[in-house]
């Protein structure tokens, strides 16, 4: 479910872009955040927690909780809820953090 027209923000763009999540091509609306685009495609799990390997996803949705880290175009630890999706963007879930676990 997406808000197409907002009484204050106005009409959203209907222009579509294609991006990739774990190499799977997905469609998004131009101007959506990566987190919103993933949720619109039914994806809730963005990675696992560092110590307990529990599923992580969008919690606050405004860049405060640091729960929605993903890797975007090779850059680790990008907040998906504050990053706008772009054509051809390659997003990967954060399934591991070898530096924290001493595996690096
Ligand atoms: S959901 Fe909280 S920082 Fe992204």
């Amino acid at each position: 479910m997406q808000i197409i027209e907002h009484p204050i923000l106005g009409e959203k763009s209907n222009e579509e872009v294609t991006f990739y999540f774990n190499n799977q091509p997905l469609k998004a609306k131009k101007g959506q955040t990566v987190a919103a685009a993933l949720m619109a495609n039914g994806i809730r799990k963005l990675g696992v927690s560092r110590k307990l390997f529990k599923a992580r996803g969008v919690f606050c949705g405004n860049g405060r909780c640091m729960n929605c880290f993903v890797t975007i175009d090779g850059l680790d630890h990008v907040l998906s809820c504050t990053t706008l999706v772009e054509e051809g963007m390659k997003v990967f879930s954060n399934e591991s953090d070898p530096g924290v676990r001493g595996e690096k």
Side-chain angles (χ1 to χ4, degrees):
M1 181 177 177
Q2 298 177 45
I3 297 173
I4 304 298
E5 188 174 335
H6 191 278
I8 296 171
L9 300 175
E11 193 172 320
K12 286 282 188 183
S13 167
N14 279 331
E15 190 177 332
E16 280 197 341
V17 296
T18 300
F19 72 108
Y20 300 86
F21 182 69
N22 292 339
N23 294 319
Q24 175 189 359
L26 300 172
K27 295 284 184 195
K29 302 278 188 219
K30 190 172 184 177
Q32 276 186 317
T33 64
V34 172
L38 290 170
M39 290 179 74
N41 281 282
I43 295 169
R44 304 281 185 270
K45 183 182 172 192
L46 304 181
V48 294
S49 63
R50 290 175 167 178
K51 290 185 179 176
L52 301 176
F53 299 88
K54 301 285 186 182
R56 295 186 337 180
V58 176
F59 182 67
C60 71
N62 64 9
R64 297 285 186 165
C65 72
M66 311 299 163
N67 207 45
C68 64
F69 285 134
V70 291
T71 299
I72 296 180
D73 291 337
L75 189 61
D76 287 334
H77 301 110
V78 179
L79 292 177
S80 61
C81 70
T82 59
T83 304
L84 297 182
V85 70
E86 293 175 9
E87 178 68 36
M89 183 179 259
K90 292 185 176 29
V91 181
F92 291 93
S93 58
N94 194 354
E95 298 296 332
S96 65
D97 199 342
V100 172
R101 296 189 186 119
E103 299 164 355
K104 208 170 195 176

